[in-house]
Each structure stands twice: as C-alpha cells, then as structure tokens.
C-alpha cells in the first residue's frame, strides 16, 4: 500500500508544517525559562559570592557592576544616543524603509510589464539570498560620511547607514510577502472586479491589497523580530549599540567573572523585547486563520 | 451611453457571429452564433466543458476571441479601440461562485463600482443600493459581510451588485450550481422578477424547469458548437438532434 503510505506521509508533513508555528512558540518556553533563570541566578550567585569576590578581587560585586553599566547599555553614553535604545531605533528605521521599498518591489513583481517584473524579481532574489553582514559592510563602505545638499553638508551618521544596510534584506523579504499574499487571492476576485469595470490599479488598491493585509501582518512581524535580533551586527561596523557598549564595559572592567552576567543581561534585554512580539504574532496568526 | 448610430432596439441587442476561441491548442468555441433581442431571456444548456462559460466571458470581453464577431448594441466588443468601460456599463455578469468582495459589507459591495467606476455621487448611489438590496429581498442584511451570509443570499447580493451598474444585458453563469436546493429557489425567483421587468438575460443553467418556464429561447451547446436551438415548447418536446435528446434524457 505505497499510495496509502505516501498519503499518510504527506498529511503528516502538512500537520507538522501547520504545527511549526506552534513549535516555534513552545520552543520559546524552555528558552524563556532558561533566560529568566539566568537573570534570577545572577543576584543570588552574587550574594553568595560577594564576600569571596570582594576579598579576592577587592572590587565591586557582579551585581554592583551590572547596575553600574546598565544605564549605559540601555541608553548609551550621556548626551549621546546609543545602547539598546539605538538597536530599537535602528530596527524601526530599517523596518520602515524596508517595508516601504519592499511593497513597491513586491508590486513590481506582479506588474503586467515584463521588464519591470523581471527587474523586481531579480532584485528581490539578490537581496533575499545575500548575507546580512556583507550587505551591511557594502552600504557602510559605499556611502560617504556626509552628503552635500543645496550647498549644506549633511553628515551621514553610522546608525543611519546601518539602518539602510539592514533594510535591504527586509525589503526583499517584504517583496516576497506582498507577492505571495497577492497571489493567494483567488483570480475570481480579479475577474469579478474586471467585469465591474474596475481598472487594474483600482482592483489592486481597493479589492486585492485590503484582503492581503491580514495575511501579511504575521510574517511581517516575524521579520521585525528577526531584524531586531540581527541589530547587534551593527556593532561590527562601529555603531554604539548595546553590543558595542557591553564589550566596552567588559574591556574597561577586565574581569572574566563579568563576561557571562553581562552577556546574559544583553540576551535578556533582547529576549524581553522580542518574545512578546513573537507571542503577539502567533496570536494574530491564529486569529486571522479562523476569521477568513 | 453612446450607442452605435446604426443600432435600433428592434435589432438584436447581442449578436454573436461565428466565434472561435482556443486556449492554447484546445479549441473551446468552434464557430458559435446566436442572437438575443432586447427583453429576451436566452438559456444556454449543455454538458460540462462545452464552452458555455467561455462564451459568456467572450461576450463580456473578459477573454478575447480568435475569430468572428460579437456585437452588443451594434458595437464590436472585440474592437481593440473599444472602451471596455462602455461595454461593461451595458453588460454585467454574475458568477457561479458569487465572487463578492469579502472585506466589504453587502451594501458596500453594491456601492463600490458605481462610486469608483461610474463616479456617481455617494448619496445617490447609496439610495440606489438600498433599493436594490430590497429588490433582491435582503433588507436588514445591508451591513453583513459576505462571510455572514448564506450562499443564496451572497448570490443575490452579487445580482444587486451587477444591477447597480444599470446594465442593459445581464449574463448569469450557473448562478445556482453552488447552492443547496432550498436557496436555489430564492435566487431563481430574483432572476424571474428581473426577466418580468424586461431585463435582457443570457443565462447558463442546469435548471431545466426554470429554463422552460422563463426562457424565450434555448440553446444547446456541445464541444464548442451550438447543436440545436429553439423556443422551449418545441426544444424540450421535439428535439431533433440525437445529442440533444441524449442530454435531455439524462438530465430530465
Ligand atoms: N483559462 C483557461 N485556460 C485553459 N483552458 C480553459 C480555460 N478556461 C476554460 N478552459 C477549457 O475550456 C473548456 C470549456 O470550458 P468552459 O468553462 O467554457 O465550459 P463550461 O461549458 O462552462 O463547463 P461547466 O458546465 O463545467 O462550467 C474546458 O475544457 C476547459 O478546460
Ligand atoms: Mg462553466
């Protein structure tokens, strides 16, 4: 009964595909437990180790050090914009840029003009399959430190260029999300709109895209979470983000016992920010799956 | 509406002449001709895949034709210079699967095209849409979304949506095939009322009883050709072609 087997295998595959979202969520629960444990363990370990540490090292306890550095890692040096807040700012900017250009590119992919369609497809494929870090380096190296506009020279800060760099893969993935969502709408919708004499553009804006929004939001939010977790990449190109500042703090302290707690703190920051987004995405996915 | 100067209402409102249409190598229509006069109800019957939907799509210019001519009010439908908007103001189509816009309420579905396509004022369109919803007996369902309506109710909204374009000819493509027997009646009585009001209708249907009762002329298609046609009285009783007789014996 090979056909029966094939059938069973196929349905299993489908079930596991459907459940992958679930698994994504449940995989988070152990991770969550782990990070929260580490976060809680830090002060406890510190209490126990305090006397010993203070006698041997003769400096601040781990907890004291963490507390000392925490504002810097969160908001950057005084009177400067940086730290985790900068990661979030870069994620917002890259997402906004990538989404805007990505929608245009995605609509290009479904254009009736063949050259335009091919160009949009090629750009999408190129940026979708390029390593983020390499794209980041390219943008950092290709763009000048400042641009001249109407006789003014406007400096281009590193975080701005980094945002542009990170927006490229988002753009390409957004383009695919748009293309996929538009294609998922039955052609009968196009046909009935055409028979009512709507133009192609009217059909797209008034009938097709409004139906796509619900389908696009969960994958779009998923890419936002991925982007946010990728923002520490910008530390490599010399931006004062949370990762850079954590490393600065560690090299200032020169204490190996601080390594794990400091990085755990960084992980916890990202986790506390991204985990609710992942949960929210999942909730929206379920909600929309039922509705339509 | 700019009708062709040569056309007068005593001539056929729709005139199909020797239409050929292929999808790739498959010839779906092999020289179809038919005439529909103003106010007439023409029913097209025939086995699955005989090209009935394709014929309606050609009349509405949703697909092009390879050979022949289709005149609506004396205007060639497949003239590349023809303004499709002008055609679709005259000819409106209702589909088997209703194809309502799921993100819009029943009322909005009816109002959309007159506002966006015909650019008519909103208040006037809304008043007309409410009248049409009443006409298809869906009062109180104005603010329901298609997902909240039964198949028969959705189909009647679709008919109202087509009527909102104030067409001269309505095309119905198996509009009751997706419905359960109970709701078929509601939709058929809506179409019957339209026919009684003098609307020109071309309908593809499997409802033989309905075709016999409402139809002025019946066409039987098979494999892309019209095998036989005639008024229902003679068509259903004295079909000459053996293919027609076999089809009728299976379905009746
Ligand atoms: N877009 C298309 N591309 C290719 N072939 C098509 C297309 N549309 C229809 N056909 C083919 O043309 C033939 C006639 O199709 P059509 O839908 O007109 O038949 P029909 O008489 O309406 O049948 P039914 O009663 O099942 O609706 C079929 O063989 C079908 O496979
Ligand atoms: Mg059909």
């Amino acid at each position: 009964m090979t056909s029966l087997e094939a059938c069973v295998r196929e349905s299993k595959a489908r079930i596991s595909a459907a459940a992958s979202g679930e698994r994504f969520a449940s995989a988070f629960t152990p991770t969550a437990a782990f990070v929260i444990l580490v976060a809680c363990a830090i002060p406890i370990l510190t209490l126990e180790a305090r006397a010993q540490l203070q006698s041997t090292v003769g400096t601040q306890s781990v907890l004291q050090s963490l507390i000392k550095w925490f504002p810097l890692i969160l908001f950057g040096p005084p009177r400067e914009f940086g730290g985790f807040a900068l990661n979030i700012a870069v994620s917002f900017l890259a997402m906004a840029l990538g989404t805007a250009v990505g929608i245009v590119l995605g609509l290009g992919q479904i254009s009736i003009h063949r050259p335009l369609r091919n160009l949009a497809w090629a750009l999408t494929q190129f940026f979708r399959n390029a390593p983020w870090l390499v794209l980041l380096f390219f943008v950092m190296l290709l763009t000048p430190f400042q641009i001249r506009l109407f006789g003014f020279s406007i400096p281009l800060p590193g975080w701005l260029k980094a945002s542009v760099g990170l927006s490229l893969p988002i753009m390409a993935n957004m383009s695919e999300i748009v293309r996929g969502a538009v294609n998922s709408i039955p052609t009968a919708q196009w046909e009935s709109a055409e028979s009512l004499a709507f133009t192609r553009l009217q059909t797209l804006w008034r009938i097709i895209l409004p139906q796509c929004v619900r389908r696009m939001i969960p994958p779009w939010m998923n890419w936002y979470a991925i982007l946010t977790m990728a923002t520490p990449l910008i530390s490599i190109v010399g931006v004062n983000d949370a990762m850079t500042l954590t490393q600065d703090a560690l090299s200032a302290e020169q204490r190996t016992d601080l390594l794990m707690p400091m990085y755990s703190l960084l992980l916890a920051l990202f986790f506390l920010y991204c985990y609710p987004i992942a949960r929210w995405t999942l909730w929206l996915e379920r909600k929309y799956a039922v509705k339509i | 509406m700019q009708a062709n100067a040569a056309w007068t209402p005593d001539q056929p409102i729709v005139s199909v002449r020797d239409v050929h249409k292929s999808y790739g190598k498959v010839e779906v229509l092999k020289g179809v001709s038919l005439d529909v006069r103003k106010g007439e109800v023409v029913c097209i019957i025939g086995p699955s895949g005989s090209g009935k939907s394709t014929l309606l799509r050609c009349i509405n210019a949703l697909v092009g034709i390879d050979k022949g001519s289709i005149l609506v009010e004396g205007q060639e439908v497949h003239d590349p210079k023809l303004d499709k908007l002008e055609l679709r103001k005259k000819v409106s189509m209702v589909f088997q699967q209703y194809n309502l816009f799921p993100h819009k309420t029943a009322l909005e579905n009816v109002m959309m095209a007159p506002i966006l396509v015909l650019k008519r004022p909103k208040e006037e369109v809304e008043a007309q849409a409410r009248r049409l919803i009443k006409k298809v007996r869906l009062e109180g369902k104005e603010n329901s979304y298609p997902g909240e309506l039964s198949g028969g109710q959705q189909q009647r909204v679709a008919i109202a949506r087509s009527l909102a374009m104030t067409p001269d000819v309505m095309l119905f493509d198996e509009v009751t095939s997706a419905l359960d027997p109970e709701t078929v009646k509601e939709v058929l009585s809506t179409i019957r009322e339209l026919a009684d009001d003098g609307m020109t209708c071309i309908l593809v249907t499997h409802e033989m009883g309905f075709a016999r009762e409402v139809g002025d002329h019946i066409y039987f298609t098979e494999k892309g050709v019209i095998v036989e046609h005639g008024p229902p009285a003679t068509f259903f009783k004295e079909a000459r072609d053996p293919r027609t007789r076999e089809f009728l014996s299976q379905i009746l």
Side-chain angles (χ1 to χ4, degrees), chain A residues 86 89-95 97-98 136 139-140 157-169 227 234:
Chain A
L86 182 66
V90 165
S91 75
F92 277 175
L93 201 58
M95 199 64 195
L97 270 174
L136 202 54
V139 172
M140 299 307 280
W159 57 266
L160 185 64
K161 295 202 268 180
S163 303
V164 173
L166 288 179
S167 77
L168 293 173
L227 167 68
I234 65 178

Side-chain angles (χ1 to χ4, degrees), chain A residues 54-73:
Chain A
Q54 274 177 345
S55 60
T56 53
V57 186
T59 49
Q60 289 162 306
S61 72
V62 171
L63 183 62
Q64 280 170 324
S65 299
L66 285 181
I67 290 170
K68 185 176 75 184
W69 291 112
F70 190 62
L72 177 84
I73 291 169

Side-chain angles (χ1 to χ4, degrees), chain B residues 13-30:
Chain B
I13 192 165
V14 176
S15 176
V16 177
R17 281 286 160 274
D18 192 33
V19 165
H20 291 254
K21 166 73 189 170
S22 303
Y23 284 116
K25 286 207 179 77
V26 188
E27 195 171 29
V28 179
L29 298 179
K30 303 167 186 164

Side-chain angles (χ1 to χ4, degrees), chain B residues 21-24 26-29 46-57 63 96 173-174 177 204 206 221:
Chain B
K21 166 73 189 170
S22 303
Y23 284 116
V26 188
E27 195 171 29
V28 179
L29 298 179
S48 183
S50 59
K52 307 180 297 292
S53 301
T54 307
L55 179 60
L56 291 194
R57 281 185 166 77
V63 295
Q96 182 175 347
D173 188 2
E174 292 187 36
S177 314
V204 170
H206 287 309
T221 61

Side-chain angles (χ1 to χ4, degrees), chain B:
Chain B
M1 206 171 292
Q2 49 161 145
N4 192 314
W7 184 77
T8 51
D10 55 303
Q11 292 171 325
I13 192 165
V14 176
S15 176
V16 177
R17 281 286 160 274
D18 192 33
V19 165
H20 291 254
K21 166 73 189 170
S22 303
Y23 284 116
K25 286 207 179 77
V26 188
E27 195 171 29
V28 179
L29 298 179
K30 303 167 186 164
V32 171
S33 300
L34 61 84
D35 280 332
V36 184
R37 301 197 161 270
K38 196 165 169 50
E40 233 183 356
V41 176
V42 163
C43 298
I44 303 174
I45 62 172
S48 183
S50 59
K52 307 180 297 292
S53 301
T54 307
L55 179 60
L56 291 194
R57 281 185 166 77
C58 289
I59 296 174
N60 201 19
L62 284 174
V63 295
I65 58 175
D66 302 329
K67 204 178 136 210
S69 108
I70 298 176
L71 300 180
V72 172
E73 295 183 2
Q75 275 183 334
E76 175 55 58
V77 166
H78 293 276
D79 181 354
K81 290 195 293 289
L82 173 90
D83 184 359
K84 292 261 172 74
L85 173 63
E86 283 305 314
L87 170 71
R88 288 181 184 140
K89 280 198 266 182
K90 293 177 191 160
V91 181
S92 207
M93 183 151 171
V94 184
F95 300 87
Q96 182 175 347
Q97 294 294 342
Y98 348 120
N99 302 351
L100 292 180
F101 306 131
H103 60 301
K104 297 279 178 184
T105 63
L107 191 67
E108 287 167 340
N109 262 280
V110 179
M111 289 171 62
M112 259 183 112
I115 291 176
L116 291 170
V117 176
L118 305 179
K119 315 270 185 228
R120 288 171 45 200
K122 188 173 175 284
E123 295 72 34
E124 184 194 310
V125 170
E126 182 167 343
Q128 179 211 20
R130 288 188 187 279
R131 270 200 312 277
L132 287 170
I133 297 228
K134 207 176 198 172
K135 189 181 167 73
V136 297
R137 303 187 196 291
L138 283 174
E139 262 177 305
K141 298 289 184 189
E142 287 86 354
N143 298 321
S144 305
Y145 284 89
E148 301 160 355
L149 298 174
S150 75
Q153 291 172 331
Q154 288 189 54
Q155 191 59 289
R156 283 180 285 154
V157 174
I159 292 173
R161 184 175 69 171
S162 286
L163 286 172
M165 296 292 279
T166 56
D168 299 336
V169 181
M170 293 273 286
L171 311 177
F172 297 89
D173 188 2
E174 292 187 36
V175 291
T176 56
S177 314
L179 305 177
D180 52 80
E182 276 308 300
T183 49
V184 165
K185 279 191 213 137
E186 308 165 352
V187 174
L188 289 184
S189 71
T190 301
I191 299 176
R192 188 182 294 115
E193 281 165 27
L194 280 180
D196 291 346
D197 291 350
M199 174 65 76
T200 311
C201 300
I202 305 180
L203 43 111
V204 170
T205 185
H206 287 309
E207 301 287 333
M208 293 304 143
F210 185 72
R212 184 184 295 197
E213 178 205 338
V214 177
D216 296 308
H217 210 87
I218 315 289
Y219 285 83
F220 173 68
T221 61
E222 199 195 62
K223 301 204 176 89
V225 292
I226 289 174
V227 173
E228 191 162 3
H229 64 96
T234 48
F235 180 88
F236 286 105
K237 287 205 188 73
E238 309 156 17
R240 275 159 292 156
D241 197 284
R243 287 170 290 180
T244 318
R245 279 210 291 269
E246 197 197 326
F247 180 76
L248 290 177
S249 71
Q250 278 170 0
I251 215 154
L252 290 175

